Amino acid sequence: MYIEEIQLTNYRNYDHFSVSFDQSINVIIGENAQGKTNMMEAIYVLAFTKSHRTPRDKELIKWDREYGKIEGRVFRRNQSFPLEVVFSNKGKKAKFNHVEQKRLSEYIGAINVVMFAPEDLNLVKGSPQERRKFIDMEIGQTQPIYIYHLGQYQRILKERNALLKDLQRSQEPDPTMLRVYTDQLVEHASILLERRFIFLQKLRKWAQPIHEGISRGHETLNIDYDASVNVSEDMDSEKIRLELQNHFERFESKEIERGTTLVGPHRDDLLFYVNGKNVQTFGSQGQQRTTALSLKLAEIELIYEEVGEYPILLLDDVLSELDDYRQSHLLNTIQGKVQTFVTTTSVDGIDHETISKAEIFTVHNGQLTEER
Amino acid sequence: MYYPEPISKLVDSFTKLPGIGPKTAVRLAFFVLNMKEDDVLDFAKNLANAKRELTHCSVCGHITDKDPCRICEDQERDGTVICVVQDPKDVIAMEKMKDYQGKYHVLHGAISPMDGIGPEDINVPSLIERLKDEEVEELILATNPNVEGEATAMYISRLVKPSGIKISRIAHGLPVGGDLEYADEVTLSKALEGRRDL
Ligand SMILES: Nc1ncnc2c1ncn2[C@@H]1O[C@H](COP(=O)(O)OP(=O)(O)OP(=O)(O)O)[C@@H](O)[C@H]1O
Ligand SMILES: [Mg+2]
Ligand SMILES: [Zn+2]
């Protein structure tokens, strides 16, 4: 799949603007603060209806404007479809093929996007929350039903935690309502866990050979799921459900004492190992970077496996950061099959051959100009 | 806004209605000024009467102008089946379908610890009392198909189950509002799936 064109209205530092893109590689060159990341973000938002760098939709609307709009055309399954996401103080609306999609899970998946930006090093180094977000977004974009279960899970968790706070303060806590929420929580948690396990197996399958390639055969990558409950990847959702149910029964009084839900998918993490050593704690900068890159490249293949088309790749400020070997490895992976957007402040440090084949744009103060 | 005081007061009254913002309120207020005087008087009288004459049925909690309500008093209806709903609007919606011949119990909300609403804050205690007094054989839980509605249904089910009363769950309708974050196709299939045993 690829994006044919984008049209921005009152979005970030763009006023009224439209541009057509190349099917293969698009390089966007500009000085700092001109709108490179904003353009990448626009494509990301078109895929997920939310930004990769802020949870507050309002920030996407150009200052002093009432609303902001991102429109685009995606070409997939041999057809071109219009997409539209509008933000205003009334909230947001998303349309696929002219029809408004009321539910996030119906819209997501209209286009698949993989983004790689300097912050993605946090995928390895950052807090567990970053890794949970990674898993959730990635599963969600190929399996919208996952988003439904995640949303339900989070809602139940909030209610359950509020109740646990009440029970913590009460003299004779009545556990009836708590058990209702436990049942609900377990139902969705077991589905989330099962899907995460399946995702992980696929991610591993793709990431391992990629990592080995980038490290010239010196490094072996391993990924583990660090669960807060005693569950493992060989369990099906029924086994997981039983284990969770047991756990919550055993720890009921402890949870009441602590006034919060102590375990569940919202407390889990991923662990990355290179040659048997945890990269999060022991990895060098280079190893961490390679790991993050392997995961992102694995995602591209994984999405292809799931949806039968390659996603769109956004490389914000990272290509020139990679050494020649990693760069060419990346470019070989995407060669001719993945529509790619690259931003950079200068073409120095980017592979000449790539530049010569790419469509070049320069951006200045919210205006993108095609160079050739 | 420097409208004459009577208009300001009217605008203020309109903004108390759900879904009416300041702009709409002003438009409605000026519309009222152009209405025929008889119509305006009728309107005002109907508003006041609706409030004065309508109460909640002491048996089922539905809105009514006489207590107990007509549904509760109707001898033709099957008193062994009670359908539990969140809102009087749900009763009206079910009655429109004309399929259901049993009685109702209106909870006036759903349990939500987040919003500080426990079982005693809605009509759950009166339902339990009712089940003790009346010869009820079946309870249909028709609370909303969202987390809070499901939890409320499951809670009632846990309380009532030991009594041996048959309990089933029906999810009527879909969550309203165009919020992108909520709901999904599963909700739809759940609603279509209809009644299931709990
Ligand atoms: N809501 C908004 N309305 C108007 N301008 C905005 C808005 N949000 C951000 N900007 C402006 O957009 C510019 C930043 O654009 P962007 O983040 O795309 O920069 P960039 O080209 O990626 O720069 P860098 O090379 O530093 O990453 C800033 O000048 C910022 O003030
Ligand atoms: Mg930037
Ligand atoms: Zn009644």
Side-chain angles (χ1 to χ4, degrees), chain A residues 116 120-121 123-124 287-296:
Chain A
F116 192 36
D120 283 313
L121 212 50
L123 191 53
V124 182
Q287 286 176 324
Q288 292 176 344
R289 205 179 291 238
T290 309
T291 304
L293 181 61
S294 308
L295 293 171
K296 291 289 166 171

Side-chain angles (χ1 to χ4, degrees), chain B residues 55-62 64 66-69 72 105 126 130:
Chain B
T55 53
H56 292 154
C57 170
S58 57
V59 180
C60 71
H62 189 42
T64 177
K66 67 192 256 290
D67 189 20
C69 73
C72 284
H105 197 83
S126 65
R130 211 177 149 187

Side-chain angles (χ1 to χ4, degrees), chain B residues 55-64 69 71-72 82-95 100 103-110 119-128 130 139-144 152 156 172:
Chain B
T55 53
H56 292 154
C57 170
S58 57
V59 180
C60 71
H62 189 42
I63 42 166
T64 177
C69 73
I71 295 175
C72 284
I82 293 181
C83 178
V84 180
V85 297
Q86 280 183 218
D87 200 273
K89 284 204 288 287
D90 300 330
V91 175
I92 293 160
M94 296 262 309
E95 285 300 285
Y100 178 67
K103 302 204 168 169
Y104 293 97
H105 197 83
V106 184
L107 296 175
H108 290 280
E120 323 71 39
D121 302 310
I122 58 176
N123 278 342
V124 170
S126 65
L127 174 65
I128 303 303
R130 211 177 149 187
L139 209 56
I140 301 167
L141 302 173
T143 49
N144 295 355
T152 306
I156 292 171
H172 61 88

